[in-house]
Amino acid sequence: MFILQNISFIHSDREVLFDSISLSVNSKEKIAIIGNNGVGKSTLLKIIAGQLLPAEGAITVSSNPYYVPQIVGQFDGLTIAQVLGIEEKLDALSEILSGDVTDENLSVLDDDWTIEERCIEALSYWYLDGFDLNTKMETLSGGQKTKVFLAGIKIHHPEIVLLDEPTNHLDSTARMRLEQFITETSCAVVVVSHDRSVLNRLDTMCELNKHGIKIYGGNYEFYREQKQLESNALNEDVQSKEKALRKAKETAREAAERKRKIEERGKKQQKKEGTGKAMMDKLKNDAENSASRIKNVHADKIYSIKQELNDLRKEISECDKMKFEFDNSSLHRHKILVTATEMNFGYNENVLWKNPLDFQIVSGERIVIKGENGTGKTTLLKLILGDIEPTVGTIQRAKIKTVYIDQNYSLLNTTLSVYQQANAFNDGTLMEHEIKIRLNRFLFTKDFWDKPCAVLSGGEKMRLLLCCLTITNQSPDMIVLDEPTNNLDIQNIEILTAAINAYEGTLIIVSHDLCFLEQIKVGKAIEL
């Protein structure tokens, strides 16, 4: 299908993104390209798609890949037909059917007489029934735009399909359809994704970093198991080196102490025997040279072990380095926090939900709000938070401390530096050095402290916000999360998962990520 040989890519500022990447994908093979944000996964996919050229290396592709991009806003000025690359065929078919049977129209149509039927079938398969092919992309939601590109697979029947974060804007039903497609298709499939459910449908994980690509022959669960084994082995190596370092330092101290005692005995013996001054000076000089050599030998050994230990520690994953220390909510378990009775929201006579909502939220619960795109999940969050009031029925809210974390991390003030933002959550109980210690725990070293929040990645903003929640004097009684994993790579999803599992308060979440919901142990659902 395609072969990459020693591919390198260099940014316009001459920074090397990745170097000497080699990868091959055969017919019907299904692989994932995974790795931390910023390592170049999307760039590598664009190189395979022929949209970018590498700085070095060779590419061999047996047929034109079909590419579903992650970012689709640049297509807003086009129609669905233009995006799918079928506008000319549809125009030619229309002219032929109206009597204009020219060689040019026949050549453009290329005997594809069923193009309209295939388009309707493909759009229907991706839940876009009734959409006109002349509809402008700018009128569609993010999920609908992605579905348009996915529909193109059934229209064009490619041998290679490239998917860049395809689930980012898809609801649960469309995600299940995508997983079904990946499982059943005979195409070769290459996926860049952080969605663990999708990754578990693939045969091979290709972990990309700046220095190369490492292949794991199995789905994501197999990859996680292998990474855990590697992590365990790494931790054992770290512990072994730490033990060796302590032993080397102790040996050096013992050797120095023995040398000192021997020298003292030698001096006493020489004085007793009346050794001359010249000989005494020579013996003293020899002893000092010998001591210096021994000291250097031990110092070199200690330095060597320290270097090896530092190299090993650099390999430890960021999630394993982090420490989560949330204060417990002051609320007693099972306190009623929210009660909705016959609640609905809308304008005039148009309401969101066919059946009014009745539910309670109790302290300590973990609740997911489920529903397809457009069913009012974000509206329900606003009602729970008290940002809006119901137009039908009632909602009662206890006075509690609540934190709402949206997809854009709007709680952060992008005009502040990282340190200033952390200090803004300080209730006056922490000194400057204590805040910086907390920042370090969340991987914000001194190089980050003066950086403006505006330049942080999605994962970094999430980590900073979690850090801020450990700085505030009182942990929130309830945390509300709106699609928290959408803009995160797998590593940062694992960090978020670990943080949430360390939190003991109430959790309300909107998410289509089934693996994430399972790992944070959601126990109740509100269905819309």
Side-chain angles (χ1 to χ4, degrees):
M1 290 283 96
F2 70 80
I3 300 173
L4 307 181
Q5 294 176 297
N6 298 319
I7 296 294
S8 300
F9 188 84
I10 302 174
H11 286 302
S12 56
D13 61 3
R14 309 307 297 167
E15 179 187 357
V16 176
L17 183 59
F18 49 72
D19 186 36
S20 300
I21 300 297
S22 294
L23 177 68
S24 63
V25 172
N26 299 315
S27 175
K28 300 182 180 180
E29 195 170 0
K30 300 169 184 179
I31 74 165
I33 299 174
I34 58 178
N36 296 341
N37 283 347
V39 298
K41 302 185 297 295
S42 294
T43 298
L44 186 59
L45 211 62
K46 288 178 181 177
I47 289 173
I48 299 169
Q51 297 194 0
L52 288 176
L53 293 175
E56 294 178 354
I59 307 170
T60 304
V61 183
S62 63
S63 66
N64 290 330
Y66 183 85
Y67 173 61
V68 177
Q70 176 184 1
I71 300 172
V72 294
Q74 66 270 37
F75 302 101
D76 279 355
L78 304 179
T79 65
I80 291 176
Q82 289 172 328
V83 164
L84 292 173
I86 56 172
E87 182 186 38
E88 290 185 0
K89 274 192 177 185
L90 292 174
D91 288 344
L93 177 62
S94 177
E95 290 181 16
I96 291 170
L97 293 177
S98 65
D100 190 7
V101 187
T102 64
D103 289 342
E104 181 182 355
N105 283 335
L106 289 170
S107 175
V108 170
L109 184 61
D110 193 25
D111 283 338
D112 194 357
W113 298 97
T114 62
I115 181 64
E116 278 189 324
E117 289 82 357
R118 289 208 323 281
C119 289
I120 293 170
E121 180 186 345
L123 291 174
S124 176
Y125 181 83
W126 289 103
Y127 309 107
L128 295 173
D129 301 87
F131 275 74
D132 191 304
L133 291 167
N134 292 316
T135 301
K136 283 288 185 73
M137 291 287 283
E138 62 193 5
T139 66
L140 306 182
S141 69
Q144 289 170 337
K145 290 174 184 177
T146 299
K147 290 174 187 177
V148 166
F149 279 93
L150 291 170
I153 301 171
K154 289 184 73 70
I155 295 170
H156 295 290
H157 301 297
E159 294 182 6
I160 307 171
V161 175
L162 309 177
L163 304 172
D164 192 357
E165 298 288 3
T167 63
N168 268 8
H169 302 288
L170 297 183
D171 55 34
S172 299
T173 303
R175 287 183 182 216
M176 290 174 64
R177 178 55 53 89
L178 177 63
E179 291 178 26
Q180 179 187 357
F181 161 76
I182 291 172
T183 302
E184 296 176 354
T185 185
S186 59
C187 302
V189 180
V190 182
V191 181
V192 169
S193 180
H194 62 267
D195 189 313
R196 277 90 40 103
S197 295
V198 169
L199 296 177
N200 276 328
R201 302 283 181 168
L202 303 167
D203 305 322
T204 305
M205 300 292 110
C206 303
E207 185 182 64
L208 179 65
N209 59 54
K210 186 174 183 178
H211 305 293
I213 198 163
K214 187 173 182 180
I215 311 297
Y216 292 82
N219 66 6
Y220 181 72
E221 283 305 313
F222 174 81
Y223 163 79
R224 280 192 67 198
E225 290 170 3
Q226 296 304 303
K227 293 296 286 184
Q228 187 60 55
L229 291 174
E230 291 176 8
S231 177
N232 292 343
L234 177 59
N235 287 330
E236 288 178 5
D237 287 345
V238 168
Q239 291 171 11
S240 176
K241 286 297 176 188
E242 288 173 340
K243 184 177 179 180
L245 181 59
R246 290 193 297 270
K247 181 66 175 175
K249 289 180 177 179
E250 182 63 28
T251 300
R253 285 193 295 270
E254 290 174 352
E257 182 63 20
R258 282 197 304 272
K259 186 68 178 174
R260 185 186 64 78
K261 290 179 178 178
I262 290 170
E263 288 174 354
E264 287 180 355
R265 285 199 301 269
K267 288 177 182 177
K268 290 178 181 178
Q269 185 65 28
Q270 289 157 11
K271 286 180 180 180
K272 184 177 180 181
E273 294 175 355
T275 305
K277 184 177 184 305
M279 181 56 71
M280 287 283 287
D281 289 343
K282 181 179 183 305
L283 291 172
K284 180 181 179 182
N285 188 55
D286 290 344
E288 288 174 349
N289 288 336
S290 175
S292 177
R293 284 195 301 274
I294 293 171
K295 185 177 180 180
N296 288 338
V297 167
H298 286 293
D300 289 343
K301 184 174 182 179
I302 290 171
Y303 177 78
S304 176
I305 295 173
K306 279 184 176 180
Q307 286 297 105
E308 292 173 2
L309 183 57
N310 286 337
D311 290 340
L312 287 171
R313 283 173 174 163
K314 288 177 184 176
E315 296 179 31
I316 297 175
S317 74
E318 292 190 341
C319 190
D320 290 341
K321 294 176 186 175
M322 295 184 67
K323 297 179 181 179
F324 306 102
E325 295 180 356
F326 293 108
D327 291 332
N328 291 334
S329 168
S330 59
L331 297 180
H332 65 78
R333 303 284 286 185
H334 309 303
K335 175 181 172 63
I336 297 174
L337 306 183
V338 179
T339 301
T341 305
E342 293 292 309
M343 183 180 72
N344 218 321
F345 184 84
Y347 300 96
N348 300 323
E349 295 182 358
N350 298 317
V351 291
L352 262 176
W353 303 298
K354 181 179 180 181
N355 299 313
L357 302 181
D358 290 278
F359 61 83
Q360 275 191 340
I361 297 173
V362 174
S363 176
E365 286 186 315
R366 296 193 165 198
I367 301 173
V368 60
I369 297 174
K370 289 185 175 183
E372 305 306 324
N373 291 343
T375 55
K377 297 186 295 296
T378 300
T379 299
L380 179 53
L381 291 185
K382 290 180 179 178
L383 287 163
I384 291 171
L385 293 166
D387 294 338
I388 57 176
E389 294 297 329
T391 52
V392 178
T394 62
I395 184 168
Q396 296 175 322
R397 313 174 189 91
K399 290 185 178 180
I400 58 173
K401 182 176 181 180
T402 302
V403 169
Y404 173 51
I405 302 176
D406 61 15
Q407 298 177 47
N408 299 315
Y409 308 103
S410 303
L411 270 180
L412 299 179
N413 185 339
T414 55
T415 65
L416 299 179
S417 69
V418 168
Y419 173 78
Q420 288 171 332
Q421 178 63 80
N423 192 44
F425 276 74
N426 184 18
D427 300 315
T429 58
L430 295 182
M431 304 293 287
E432 178 178 340
H433 72 278
E434 292 175 304
I435 292 174
K436 290 178 177 177
I437 288 172
R438 299 286 177 99
L439 285 169
N440 271 301
R441 286 178 187 167
F442 282 80
L443 312 179
F444 292 105
T445 59
K446 61 182 179 181
D447 295 333
F448 278 90
W449 296 342
D450 293 327
K451 273 189 178 183
C453 293
V455 304
L456 298 181
S457 68
E460 288 167 342
K461 287 178 180 178
M462 180 271 295
R463 279 193 279 114
L464 179 56
L465 195 46
L466 291 174
C467 177
C468 290
L469 295 183
T470 71
I471 288 172
T472 187
N473 192 36
Q474 181 193 346
S475 184
D477 300 309
M478 183 164 70
I479 295 179
V480 179
L481 297 165
D482 190 359
E483 295 286 5
T485 64
N486 264 10
N487 301 310
L488 302 182
D489 58 25
I490 291 174
Q491 177 176 262
N492 279 303
I493 291 174
E494 290 177 349
I495 290 172
L496 177 61
T497 301
I500 289 175
N501 285 333
Y503 170 68
E504 296 185 0
T506 307
L507 186 72
I508 309 295
I509 183 167
V510 171
S511 178
H512 298 289
D513 190 331
L514 299 180
C515 285
F516 176 66
L517 295 174
E518 181 181 346
Q519 289 180 350
I520 63 173
K521 301 177 179 63
V522 168
K524 178 178 172 181
I526 297 175
E527 302 270 0
L528 299 182

